[in-house]
Structure formats: C-alpha cells, structure tokens
Amino acid sequence: MKKIFFFLFVSLILVNLSCTTKTEEKPDVTIEIKVSKNGYQPNVINVERNKVVLFKITAEDEGIPKEPNSKYYGHCFYILPPYDVMVENVGKGETKEVKVKMVYPGHHIFTCPYCSDFFPTKGDIYVK
Ligand SMILES: [Cu+2]
C-alpha cells in the first residue's frame, strides 16, 4: 500500500514539473515591466510563439503593505493558466525576473492578484 502512495506522490511531482512554462533556457527577448497602483507599463505585450522571454518586473510603489500575519507584500506578476507563472512579492524599487517559454498561442492575461480588485493591475499578452 505504501508503495502505491509513494508512486502517486512522485507522479504528481513529475506532472507538476512538466506543466510549468518557466524555463532556464537562454532568453530570446527581454521585456521590462513596471507595476504600480496605476497598473502595468506596458500592459499589452506581443511575443512570438516558442520564444523564451525574460520578464523583468519592477515595482514603482509599495503595493500591498507587509502585514505580520501574511507572507505576501508589494506587487506581483501572475500569468494566468495555462502559463500559470507567478512572481510574488515585488517590493517598492525591487526588480524580480522570470523566464517563460511562450508555448501557448493566443490571448493570455497577466495580473496582480494582490491588488487587482482595487487597482487596474491587469494586462494582455498576445502570443503569435
Ligand atoms: Cu499589485
């Protein structure tokens, strides 16, 4: 019985790893994005399919405050599924990076789940 659970556990991990579009490959393009309570700049991004994009996310303001009971602060950059790529906790003046292989064509949305209810922190990615 234990073996079955171990097998399930390992398969779950493998499925998770293979689904991510994050990559360590060399980037083809770099896209610098600024985020603040006024939204993302730029908020419309066009990329070619299968290119590796290095996203550099810089927060220009404090975003959501750091609370003692929460592990979240600042702004973030989340590309919705199927990409499902998250850069969390970008504090004021900080820049964080993520490399993503743009394998899924079409229109995709990125947002800051921390503050998109209050601020226009939402953008569009078009993969052609
Ligand atoms: Cu935010």
Side-chain angles (χ1 to χ4, degrees), residues 62-80:
E62 65 286 350
I64 59 162
K66 203 168 192 167
E67 303 285 354
N69 300 325
S70 173
K71 59 176 184 147
Y72 301 112
Y73 65 88
H75 285 287
C76 60
F77 176 74
Y78 179 55
I79 311 176
L80 266 61

Side-chain angles (χ1 to χ4, degrees), residues 74-76 112 114-115 121:
H75 285 287
C76 60
C112 174
Y114 299 171
C115 71
T121 40

Side-chain angles (χ1 to χ4, degrees), residues 35-102:
V35 57
S36 72
K37 288 170 182 169
N38 297 317
Y40 291 98
Q41 194 55 247
N43 62 6
V44 177
I45 291 165
N46 289 287
V47 290
E48 273 176 63
R49 191 179 179 188
N50 291 324
K51 294 284 185 211
V52 174
V53 178
L54 169 65
F55 290 99
K56 288 187 169 184
I57 317 300
T58 303
E60 292 189 311
D61 62 24
E62 65 286 350
I64 59 162
K66 203 168 192 167
E67 303 285 354
N69 300 325
S70 173
K71 59 176 184 147
Y72 301 112
Y73 65 88
H75 285 287
C76 60
F77 176 74
Y78 179 55
I79 311 176
L80 266 61
Y83 282 97
D84 194 23
V85 168
M86 174 67 142
V87 178
E88 48 183 35
N89 301 349
V90 189
K92 186 178 180 178
E94 249 186 322
T95 301
K96 287 192 177 175
E97 301 182 352
V98 67
K99 279 184 279 183
V100 184
K101 189 154 186 173
M102 309 308 292

